[in-house]
Amino acid sequence: MLFIAILFLGLLGLSRGDTPANCTFSDVSGTWTFYESARSGTSDIDCTHSKVAMTEKLRVTLKYPNLVVDQFGNKGTWTMVYNQGFEVTVNGRSFFGFSDYKVLPNKGGVVSYCNRVRLGSGWSHDVTVRNWACFSAVKVEDAGAPGSSKFHSTLSYLGNMGDAEYRQEEWEVELINSQQSAWVATTYPHLQGMKMKDIDRMQGGENSRLYHKPSPKPRQTLLRGSGKGGSVDDYLPESWDWRNVDGVNYVSEVRDQGGCGSCYAFSSMGMLESRLKVLTKNTKNYTFSPQDIVSCSRLSQGCSGGFPFLIAGRYGKDFGVVDETCNPYTGLDGACSTKKCTRHYTSKYSYVGGYYGGCNEFEMKKSLVHGGPLSVSFEVYSDFMMYKEGVYHHTNLLTSSGFQPFELTNHAVLLVGYGHDEALKEDYWIIKNSWGTSWGEQGFFRIRRGVDECAIESIAVEATPIP
């Protein structure tokens, strides 16, 4: 017997994860009722049609930091997916859904309803990626922890720089270079005059913006075998660079995303490309298609942004990625036009540290050295757009200029190594960008390590491709 007869979804009309929702851990933690349709679907299940009958019901409690307990006492794991929704795995099933929201076009904002999953935006399947179902959920009891959210909504305002032109001024470059010596700024002619909306997309896109960044876990310390205290750095090399490991380069070529907010796709595909090289001793060299992600993924927002956890992770595991030739990159939104090609899948994925908010410098170094390059994200400030070389840190010198930085723009890039600059006395990360080889250090940049510079150590994703 159906305990919920029908959920009407006709007004939603979603086919992709277009979501500007803004929810925090405290908004989501607590007790929920999960609803599923019949567990008889496949990966092409459509949860957006006019009505879906819900036949399954489960009560689960989401606890700090990543523990979930269902009504039968089974324990599993869960994580926030940035500020967009959450993923739960318990008792052999995996559930994902975006948080609900309402766009206020007249006010230029979005109301987020963090106590419910947006209808038509979620699905579930067992951990072997079989028996798919449509999924929705409602929060029925708050966690009760200090700072936890009741059922009120939150309002976020969206900026719109529109068709205004982006400019890099010589006086800005001179100011940056005169006030510090860690890195060098320059102007880039190909960026001059670009529309601000395209610059915004280069920096991650409107729908990738985080309004609440997680705080990375404190740096760990471990005990030496002798019983004496020691730094975790004793267990890892002092420096590492996947571009040159015993003379072998495991990092795929730098590409240019253009004015499309597809950095999340390039970061995700770059990680899978490099990790396949690592797993196969550099014998399998693929270039995967970011356009397939931009045009075809129900888990991303096309040229308006997306998140590597959902792309390299859930999309890679549930649907697989394809070679660049199957859908060449155009940098434009549009209908899915991927050819019928062999798909390459992800076997497992997670946030570094185990859950969103569990990241830190050591966990990143460990995953990087032992598994391969990582997808990481950070805040893009206006001075970063002018980076040429050196160890970047935010200078905070251009706040009075005409361009006001989107401080919590979430730009996804690829972490490939780390090291130390003896002259500067600076530890740094080595990172591959997706703005072409004419930007930065031939498409790469270095950024301060160990101080969570621009939130670079707060959000990292690891995924394991299947060779």
Side-chain angles (χ1 to χ4, degrees), residues 95-386:
F95 306 83
F96 169 76
F98 287 107
S99 298
D100 201 6
Y101 64 92
K102 179 181 180 180
V103 177
L104 305 176
N106 295 330
K107 297 183 179 180
V110 173
V111 178
S112 299
Y113 301 103
C114 302
N115 62 320
R116 65 194 189 213
V117 166
R118 188 168 178 83
L119 297 179
S121 76
W123 63 82
S124 63
H125 53 64
D126 66 31
V127 293
T128 64
V129 198
R130 297 183 178 92
N131 300 328
W132 288 60
C134 295
F135 163 66
S136 189
V138 176
K139 187 177 178 181
V140 295
E141 184 178 329
D142 194 72
S148 59
S149 170
K150 300 301 179 184
F151 298 149
H152 63 271
S153 60
T154 60
L155 177 64
S156 302
Y157 288 96
L158 304 179
N160 181 15
M161 301 298 289
D163 292 329
E165 291 189 354
Y166 172 68
R167 305 299 302 176
Q168 292 179 333
E169 305 292 347
E170 288 294 340
W171 71 264
E172 297 174 318
V173 171
E174 292 173 2
L175 178 62
I176 293 171
N177 291 336
S178 67
Q179 296 296 312
Q180 54 82 44
S181 58
W183 61 281
V184 176
T186 191
T187 58
Y188 289 98
H190 69 283
L191 299 180
Q192 301 284 48
M194 284 184 64
K195 302 296 185 184
M196 285 302 305
K197 60 186 178 184
D198 294 328
I199 293 294
D200 187 17
R201 286 176 171 180
M202 283 181 62
Q203 298 174 347
E206 181 65 60
N207 290 335
S208 291
R209 186 158 302 134
L210 296 178
Y211 298 90
H212 305 282
K213 72 178 181 181
S215 297
K217 286 197 302 187
R219 182 180 178 85
Q220 296 177 339
T221 56
L222 300 176
L223 295 178
R224 297 178 186 269
S226 63
K228 298 179 180 180
S231 168
V232 294
D233 284 348
D234 296 332
Y235 294 82
L236 292 167
E238 292 184 0
S239 62
W240 190 265
D241 189 344
W242 278 109
R243 296 174 299 177
N244 184 359
V245 177
D246 297 327
V248 179
N249 179 15
Y250 293 91
V251 179
S252 53
E253 293 184 359
V254 172
R255 301 182 65 185
D256 190 348
Q257 69 185 75
C260 174
S262 52
C263 60
Y264 66 97
F266 280 92
S267 174
S268 298
M269 297 305 97
M271 174 169 61
L272 297 181
E273 291 162 0
S274 293
R275 287 193 159 211
L276 269 177
K277 290 174 179 284
V278 173
L279 288 170
T280 64
K281 302 298 184 184
N282 222 21
T283 60
K284 289 193 175 182
N285 298 287
Y286 291 103
T287 299
F288 292 131
S289 170
Q291 192 65 45
D292 175 67
I293 307 304
V294 170
S295 299
C296 305
S297 172
R298 289 181 282 170
L299 290 166
S300 64
Q301 295 87 52
C303 281
S304 294
F307 299 100
F309 178 86
L310 294 178
I311 298 307
R314 197 167 185 94
Y315 186 83
K317 186 173 184 178
D318 290 357
F319 303 102
V321 300
V322 298
D323 190 83
E324 172 71 10
T325 58
C326 300
N327 194 345
Y329 187 67
T330 65
L332 300 172
D333 285 317
C336 180
S337 59
T338 299
K339 300 174 184 177
K340 187 174 182 180
C341 292
T342 300
R343 288 198 169 262
H344 305 265
Y345 293 89
T346 299
S347 63
K348 59 182 179 179
Y349 61 96
S350 69
Y351 287 111
V352 171
Y355 55 91
Y356 180 58
C359 192
N360 61 29
E361 178 194 6
F362 169 66
E363 294 291 346
M364 290 168 64
K365 289 170 66 176
K366 182 173 68 172
S367 178
L368 175 71
V369 171
H370 296 304
L374 303 172
S375 178
V376 298
S377 301
F378 71 108
E379 301 169 18
V380 174
Y381 292 93
S382 53
D383 60 356
F384 180 76
M385 301 293 295
M386 303 178 189

Side-chain angles (χ1 to χ4, degrees), residues 380-423:
V380 174
Y381 292 93
S382 53
D383 60 356
F384 180 76
M385 301 293 295
M386 303 178 189
Y387 171 89
K388 179 181 180 182
E389 61 187 11
V391 179
Y392 173 79
H393 65 273
H394 175 45
T395 62
N396 199 31
L397 294 172
L398 303 183
T399 56
S400 61
S401 68
F403 174 67
Q404 297 300 321
F406 298 110
E407 293 189 359
L408 289 179
T409 294
N410 188 47
H411 182 48
V413 287
L414 188 69
L415 173 63
V416 302
Y418 61 87
H420 176 78
D421 189 303
E422 185 60 36

